[in-house]
């Protein structure tokens, strides 16, 4: 008689136990899933410069993406500091000894020692003319963790050359195993992230390398996207499809900053936008014409209306805030003086108000960027407008990479250039690259009288103050020759979602994906 109620009670307890067990299991499942979600941290980055290859010695992207590293790096004070090398010293004016850190492995598990670093540099100098020219190496000797470099000539700035992304250390053993083509799509370095997938010109998928020597990365996955359209990048940031976006459209900043989840960091950069004049062009062979065009560049309006204040007008290749920057004034827009110079060069206005000489109108072909930084296509349009007021016709041809175009063509008069002019914390590398024959930034083969002796002295001088003086002297000679018209030093406009932690953009534009980068 009493068993039935007891049975029912037991049955209820049994069902309750099953439900509770299921509930707890569900909670445990949810907790596990939550924990999994917390550990699976992902960030999406969009940059403006598409890359068709990840070749560590010819492109910057492997280092920017946290795949490779260099022997030394720049710290926040723009000083050369240890990275894969723990120490270095000059044995004499041509000999440098570097100590490679112990306990580091490449992402394929092979050990990083002096022999591996030597093999990486041998590969780099074979594949990259720019790297070879910068290092000026005669020989290398590896002994355990010690690597000794001997240069062909005195090279006091040698450590600064090792800062550049194309001096990245990569696993030659991995390349030998994979083959060069496959390796350049998924290079193997010592960085905190390794390549899972690379779609040329579009994106890189990166996963954390758990064996990283300097502390396991906070993120598990990084999606690194490329897009040359500033408006598309900006919209992606505004719609929160990306966490970090480089080179935002300046006109969108007010709208972005009204969103409490988003912020914009405007960083004083080491970049300079400038025009290169074609040394083979009859139209700009007269320095008076080049000086006149320089006077038709309204730098103040470019800074105010195009960059919305996020730039400085340029009076040389180096930002005036740097120790070796030019202290002189900036050329102002001067229509009247430009007219006088052009008249002195033999040009007169015809009935249509156009300048001509010997019946031939002054028509200049300007090669411009089609995208990348949002301001680069706009600057030529403003110069075109000012030149038209003076009777000069400027025809603009937009291409993806002007320096590639002008290297292979002669049918141009001036071209837009944009470079990091002091990414190593020193001006010597840019001056050598931009003004010596065969320099990696000298696609037009520009030559300046009386400049080479200054550069030779600069290249043999280690004293920092003396190097700054020689750099300023070199810039004065360059400005007098007017082979370039320096326009602005643009700030880097970087959108950062507020969920991002332990990260900020640097002036050098090198260290984008790091092991410290984290999200809330």
């Amino acid at each position: 008689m009493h068993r039935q109620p007891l049975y029912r009670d037991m049955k209820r307890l049994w069902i309750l136990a099953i439900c509770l067990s299921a509930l707890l299991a569900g909670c445990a499942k949810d907790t596990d899933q939550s924990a999994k979600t917390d550990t699976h941290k992902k960030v999406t980055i969009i940059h403006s410069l598409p890359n068709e290859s990840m070749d560590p010695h010819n492109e910057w992207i492997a280092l920017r993406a946290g795949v490779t590293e260099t022997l030394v790096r720049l710290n926040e004070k723009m000083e050369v500091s240890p990275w894969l090398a723990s120490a270095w010293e000059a044995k004499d004016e041509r000999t440098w000894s570097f100590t490679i850190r112990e306990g580091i492995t490449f992402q394929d598990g092979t050990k990083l020692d002096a022999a591996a670093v030597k093999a990486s540099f041998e590969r780099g100098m074979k594949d990259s003319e720019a790297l070879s020219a910068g290092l000026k190496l005669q020989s290398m000797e590896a002994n355990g963790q010690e690597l000794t470099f001997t240069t062909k000539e005195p090279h006091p700035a040698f450590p600064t050359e090792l800062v550049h992304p194309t001096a990245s250390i990569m696993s030659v053993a991995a390349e030998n195993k994979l083959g060069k083509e496959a390796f350049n799509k998924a290079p193997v370095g010592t960085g905190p992230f390794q390549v899972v997938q690379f779609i040329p010109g579009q994106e890189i998928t990166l996963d954390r390398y758990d064996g990283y020597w300097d502390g396991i990365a906070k993120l598990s996955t990084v999606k690194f996207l490329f897009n040359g359209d500033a408006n598309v990048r900006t919209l992606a940031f505004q719609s929160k499809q990306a966490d970090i976006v480089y080179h935002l459209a300046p006109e969108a900043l007010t709208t972005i900053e009204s969103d409490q989840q988003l912020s914009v960091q405007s960083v004083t950069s080491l970049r300079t936008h400038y025009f290169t004049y074609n040394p083979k062009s009859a139209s700009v062979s007269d320095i008076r014409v080049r000086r006149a065009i320089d006077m038709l560049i309204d730098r103040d309006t470019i800074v105010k209306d195009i960059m919305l204040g996020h730039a400085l007008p340029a009076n040389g290749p180096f930002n005036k805030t740097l120790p070796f920057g030019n202290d002189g004034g900036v050329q102002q827009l001067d229509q009247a003086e430009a007219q006088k110079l052009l008249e002195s060069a033999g040009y007169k206005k015809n009935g249509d108000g156009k300048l001509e000489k010997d019946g031939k109108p002054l028509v200049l072909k300007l090669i411009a960027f089609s995208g990348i930084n949002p301001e680069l296509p706009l600057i030529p349009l403003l110069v075109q407008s000012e030149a038209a007021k003076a009777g000069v016709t400027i025809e603009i041809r937009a291409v993806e990479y002007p320096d590639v175009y002008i290297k292979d063509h002669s049918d141009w008069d001036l071209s837009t250039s944009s470079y990091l002019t002091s990414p190593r914390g020193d001006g010597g590398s840019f001056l050598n690259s931009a003004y010596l024959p065969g320099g990696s930034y000298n696609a037009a083969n520009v030559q300046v009288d009386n400049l080479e002796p200054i550069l030779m002295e600069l290249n043999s001088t280690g004293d920092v103050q003396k190097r700054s003086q020689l750099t300023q002297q070199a810039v004065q000679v360059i400005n007098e020759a007017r082979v370039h018209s320096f326009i602005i030093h643009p700030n880097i406009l970087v959108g950062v979602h507020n969920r991002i932690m332990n990260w900020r953009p640097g002036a050098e534009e090198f260290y984008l994906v790091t092991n410290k980068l984290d999200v809330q």
Side-chain angles (χ1 to χ4, degrees):
M1 295 285 298
H2 297 288
R3 291 181 180 177
Q4 188 68 20
L6 179 61
Y7 171 78
R8 285 198 302 265
D9 291 341
M10 292 180 64
K11 185 175 181 181
R12 289 192 190 102
L13 289 171
W14 178 67
I15 294 171
L16 181 61
I18 292 175
C19 292
L20 183 60
S21 176
L23 181 62
L24 290 173
C27 290
K29 184 177 181 181
D30 289 342
T31 302
D32 291 344
Q33 185 64 36
S34 176
K36 184 178 179 181
T37 301
D38 287 342
T39 58
H40 190 76
K41 296 179 179 179
K42 178 181 177 181
V43 160
T44 298
I45 300 173
I46 303 180
H47 201 274
S48 60
L49 187 63
N51 283 89
E52 298 299 324
S53 167
M54 292 192 70
D55 181 351
H57 293 140
N58 284 288
E59 304 290 346
W60 296 17
I61 189 58
L63 184 132
R64 281 176 163 169
V67 177
T68 59
E69 298 170 310
T70 47
L71 291 185
V72 294
R73 61 174 292 162
L74 294 177
N75 62 21
E76 291 183 354
K77 297 179 180 179
M78 297 304 294
E79 300 166 335
V80 177
S81 59
W83 206 3
L84 292 180
S86 58
W88 61 94
E89 64 175 326
K91 298 291 187 180
D92 55 51
E93 62 181 7
R94 293 177 51 231
T95 309
W96 293 84
S97 177
F98 281 74
T99 302
I100 311 303
R101 292 185 191 274
E102 294 276 4
I104 299 178
T105 61
F106 289 103
Q107 292 144 4
D108 62 353
T110 57
K111 180 183 178 181
L112 179 75
D113 56 16
V117 175
K118 177 175 180 285
S120 179
F121 278 113
E122 288 172 340
R123 187 266 198 188
M125 290 188 296
K126 180 180 178 181
D127 288 5
S128 171
E129 292 182 7
L131 180 62
S132 180
L135 296 179
K136 304 176 185 178
L137 284 181
Q138 178 175 301
S139 64
M140 290 180 284
E141 182 179 347
N143 182 15
Q145 297 301 115
E146 296 295 319
L147 180 60
T148 302
F149 298 94
T150 302
T151 58
K152 297 175 182 176
E153 59 191 51
H155 197 353
F158 180 74
T160 68
E161 293 293 335
L162 303 182
V163 168
H164 200 269
T166 55
S168 285
I169 307 304
M170 43 74 73
S171 171
V172 173
E175 183 180 53
N176 291 338
K177 182 178 180 180
L178 296 170
K180 185 177 292 292
E181 184 177 352
F183 183 87
N184 284 342
K185 292 180 180 178
V188 175
T190 59
F193 287 87
Q194 51 195 347
V195 180
V196 175
Q197 183 183 36
F198 171 56
I199 303 175
Q202 296 182 45
E203 65 181 63
I204 310 170
T205 301
L206 302 157
D207 274 359
R208 178 172 55 208
Y209 170 48
D210 290 339
Y212 182 56
W213 64 276
D214 196 26
I216 188 169
K218 305 293 184 183
L219 303 175
S220 59
T221 303
V222 175
K223 187 73 81 171
F224 199 115
L225 309 177
F226 310 109
N227 196 296
D229 190 318
N231 291 322
V232 172
R233 293 195 303 272
T234 303
L235 287 172
F237 183 59
Q238 289 176 291
S239 61
K240 302 179 178 63
Q241 297 176 43
D243 303 287
I244 298 173
V245 177
Y246 270 73
H247 306 301
L248 296 171
E251 62 271 17
L253 298 189
T254 302
T255 303
I256 291 172
E257 290 171 339
S258 67
D259 189 326
Q260 294 184 352
Q261 291 183 296
L262 307 177
S263 63
V264 176
Q265 298 196 27
S266 181
V267 182
T268 301
S269 78
L270 305 176
R271 183 173 295 278
T272 305
H273 296 339
Y274 60 94
F275 288 148
T276 296
Y277 294 99
N278 186 354
K280 297 179 181 178
S281 165
S283 299
V284 295
S285 61
D286 192 325
I287 190 173
R288 291 170 292 185
V289 175
R290 301 197 298 272
R291 288 177 60 200
I293 298 302
D294 193 67
M295 292 177 178
L296 295 173
I297 301 172
D298 192 348
R299 294 167 175 83
D300 288 341
T301 295
I302 292 170
V303 170
K304 180 182 176 182
D305 294 341
I306 294 180
M307 296 303 299
L308 300 181
H310 296 278
L312 288 174
N315 60 8
F318 309 116
N319 195 310
K320 67 180 182 180
T321 61
L322 295 167
F324 45 87
N326 186 358
D327 291 331
V330 175
Q331 176 63 56
Q332 300 296 307
L333 175 67
D334 194 336
Q335 283 276 352
E337 190 60 31
Q339 291 273 9
K340 291 179 183 178
L341 282 169
L342 292 168
E343 289 173 5
S344 70
Y347 288 95
K348 296 181 179 180
K349 285 190 175 182
N350 59 24
D352 297 328
K354 304 291 186 182
L355 287 175
E356 62 178 34
K357 182 179 180 180
D358 300 327
K360 182 180 179 181
L362 182 54
V363 179
L364 303 178
K365 182 177 179 180
L366 191 161
I367 307 301
F369 283 93
S370 58
I372 313 299
N373 294 42
E375 70 273 10
L376 286 173
L378 301 178
I379 292 172
L381 294 174
L382 182 62
V383 176
Q384 181 187 52
S385 176
E386 291 296 340
K389 297 175 186 177
V392 180
T393 299
I394 292 183
E395 298 176 347
I396 299 173
R397 174 164 182 177
V399 301
E400 189 172 11
Y401 300 111
D403 284 353
V404 174
Y405 180 91
I406 67 176
K407 186 176 183 179
D408 299 326
H409 298 81
S410 59
D411 60 338
W412 60 281
D413 301 294
L414 62 162
S415 173
T416 312
S417 296
S418 179
Y419 284 111
L420 289 175
T421 54
S422 50
R424 301 164 177 82
D426 184 87
S429 180
F430 173 80
L431 294 175
N432 282 284
S433 298
Y435 297 102
L436 291 182
S440 57
Y441 294 171
N442 195 4
N445 196 27
V446 168
Q447 297 183 38
V448 180
D449 292 340
N450 304 317
L451 178 62
E452 191 165 346
I454 301 173
L455 296 187
M456 294 303 100
E457 185 177 358
L458 174 65
N459 293 339
S460 62
T461 301
D463 181 78
V464 175
Q465 186 174 357
K466 181 64 174 176
R467 287 184 65 82
S468 292
Q469 293 172 351
L470 288 167
T471 299
Q472 290 173 327
Q473 184 180 344
V475 171
Q476 184 177 353
V477 172
I478 291 164
N479 282 347
E480 288 173 357
R482 201 63 66 189
V483 291
H484 290 133
S485 282
F486 300 101
I487 305 171
I488 61 168
H489 306 294
N491 283 16
I492 312 167
L493 297 178
V494 186
V496 183
H497 194 288
N498 290 348
R499 68 191 288 263
I500 295 294
M501 300 168 56
N502 303 327
W503 185 91
R504 63 180 180 179
E508 79 297 319
E509 299 185 47
F510 290 167
Y511 316 116
L512 275 60
V513 179
T514 73
N515 63 322
K516 301 293 193 299
L517 174 58
D518 200 357
V519 292
Q520 294 180 347

